Amino acid sequence: MKQYLDLCQRIVDEGVWVDNKRTGKKCLTVINADLTYDVANGEFPLVTTRKSFWKSAIAEMIGYLRGYQSAEDFRKLGTKTWDANANDNAVWLASPHRKGTDDIGEAYGVVGRGWRTADGSRIDLLSQIIDDLSQGIDNRGEILTFYNPGIFERACLRPCMYSHHFSLLGDTLYLNSTQRSCDVPLGLNFNMVQVYFLLAIVAQITGKKPGKAYHKIVNAHIYGDQLELMRDVQLKREPLSPPTFKINPDIKTLEDLETWVTLDDFEVEGYESHEPIKYPFSV
Ligand SMILES: Nc1nc(=O)c2c([nH]1)NC[C@@H]1CN(c3ccc(C(=O)N[C@@H](CCC(=O)O)C(=O)O)cc3)CN21
Ligand SMILES: O=c1ccn([C@H]2C[C@H](O)[C@@H](COP(=O)(O)O)O2)c(=O)[nH]1
């Protein structure tokens, strides 16, 4: 929580205003932030200075791991976070690649679980990684990447957290996640939970001990219309003690995660937070 608030304060104190063409808004921006989550010691990075809808964050990540392409599938699982980009993004609505209502296009898991190769075949990066790690193999390239510039126009957005690199030291699993662009008030609130969750769940289904997750952010920003709420409300609050996160121990394989898992298989215990804050969202 402290590292999150420190980043927010750093943007307020040192950020530079940058005009963003895609959204038509200006963003107070810093370059480079490195966050670390100690999954081994259960330090769940849930924001307490406003109410955080952590289930929505987990649903989004499970949707990526399942390779969802429709905002409807994300909604059924428990998150509305893809509705606006699928259905209110003017550039995407005009795209010949959009397959109709709720289509988000070839984004995130669609890319990573069906990586296009030169000969037209597809590679499921996640299955390969899970197979390797389960056998204790780390080939120094266990990388789940969603970043394929050749097909950007087939999606409503380029992936923000675009790379998740897993590593083994003995029986301990580590994760380095990289994010190119970060909406700190809204997106990061979810992304921290997602990086922690990804290491915890992959460790569980590969039979490894989770170690630390390292989260690198390149462009970290606060949109102009979010600044007042962050500076004058959220940053004036005292953080509360962190909760703990539990995963149903019956989840043992990637197939379990793909088939029967719901948000009821995850629990947060001892979560106390300040009042919700409704930050403006930029499509
Ligand atoms: N501008 C922008 N920021 C983002 O964080 C973002 C995008 N676009 N586009 C793609 C995804 C969608 N994400 C989202 C979308 C909405 C919320 C959101 O509205 N959060 C509210 C309510 C959550 C809920 O009720 O489930 C929040 O208070 O956290 C968060 C992340 C993260 N990503
Ligand atoms: O997981 C996510 C997904 C998106 N975001 C934010 C970061 C930016 O504010 C927008 C994406 O806009 P780009 O013009 O494509 O950079 O969404 C996030 O923080 N986390």
Side-chain angles (χ1 to χ4, degrees):
M1 184 71 227
K2 184 173 182 309
Q3 47 186 350
Y4 178 74
L5 295 175
D6 287 349
L7 174 59
C8 296
Q9 191 65 54
R10 186 180 137 213
I11 299 175
V12 169
D13 294 342
E14 299 167 17
V16 172
W17 284 109
V18 177
D19 287 319
N20 178 251
K21 202 164 157 235
R22 194 182 65 74
T23 56
K25 294 189 184 174
K26 58 183 181 135
C27 293
L28 200 54
T29 306
V30 299
I31 300 300
N32 197 59
D34 291 289
L35 308 182
T36 302
Y37 316 122
D38 190 345
V39 183
N41 287 312
E43 290 176 10
F44 189 53
L46 195 61
V47 166
T48 57
T49 48
R50 73 177 179 101
K51 187 171 181 197
S52 181
F53 299 91
W54 62 271
K55 282 201 171 190
S56 195
I58 305 264
E60 210 181 56
M61 182 51 85
I62 294 176
Y64 298 156
L65 299 179
R66 287 181 176 174
Y68 282 176
Q69 185 166 348
S70 169
E72 187 187 9
D73 289 332
F74 282 94
R75 272 198 308 280
K76 282 189 191 149
L77 194 56
T79 184
K80 296 183 184 147
T81 47
W82 281 95
D83 290 8
N85 278 109
N87 300 317
D88 303 330
N89 170 339
V91 174
W92 179 237
L93 290 176
S95 166
H97 297 292
R98 183 172 178 266
K99 295 197 175 80
T101 306
D102 283 330
D103 185 30
I104 68 167
E106 291 193 41
Y108 291 92
V110 185
V111 179
R113 303 221 53 191
W115 187 270
R116 290 164 175 273
T117 63
D119 67 6
S121 61
R122 302 264 185 165
I123 301 174
D124 181 347
L125 301 174
L126 182 61
S127 300
Q128 285 187 343
I129 292 167
I130 301 278
D131 284 352
D132 278 356
L133 299 176
S134 303
Q135 298 171 65
I137 297 169
D138 168 5
N139 67 18
R140 304 195 290 201
E142 305 293 353
I143 302 173
L144 176 62
T145 177
F146 304 132
Y147 210 71
N148 185 346
I151 57 167
F152 280 162
E153 81 278 6
R154 292 170 181 262
C156 62
L157 265 190
R158 294 168 295 166
C160 287
M161 277 211 293
Y162 65 87
S163 171
H164 301 285
H165 184 166
F166 295 89
S167 303
L168 278 175
L169 285 182
D171 269 347
T172 305
L173 187 66
Y174 294 82
L175 174 62
N176 286 72
S177 296
T178 310
Q179 180 163 5
R180 65 169 177 84
S181 172
C182 182
D183 174 344
V184 171
L186 274 179
L188 186 52
N189 187 51
F190 280 15
N191 295 139
M192 295 192 295
V193 168
Q194 289 168 342
V195 171
Y196 181 103
F197 167 73
L198 185 59
L199 179 56
I201 192 77
V202 171
Q204 181 163 318
I205 64 188
T206 57
K208 302 297 165 201
K209 288 189 237 146
K212 284 185 175 160
Y214 302 98
H215 183 181
K216 156 85 71 191
I217 299 163
V218 178
N219 183 306
H221 49 264
I222 297 175
Y223 285 92
D225 54 9
Q226 299 171 325
L227 180 60
E228 223 176 277
L229 280 173
M230 176 57 80
R231 188 189 52 213
D232 303 339
V233 182
Q234 191 166 0
L235 279 170
K236 295 274 188 287
R237 296 175 173 177
E238 280 300 318
L240 304 169
S241 55
T244 54
F245 178 64
K246 295 229 162 70
I247 299 179
N248 180 349
D250 293 339
I251 305 174
K252 291 196 165 79
T253 63
L254 179 57
E255 202 190 340
D256 291 340
L257 195 63
E258 289 168 337
T259 52
W260 56 261
V261 167
T262 70
L263 296 183
D264 294 338
D265 294 297
F266 309 98
E267 237 179 281
V268 164
E269 278 173 9
Y271 183 45
E272 282 179 88
S273 75
H274 290 265
E275 293 292 295
I277 299 176
K278 250 192 148 353
Y279 281 106
F281 178 77
S282 299
V283 181

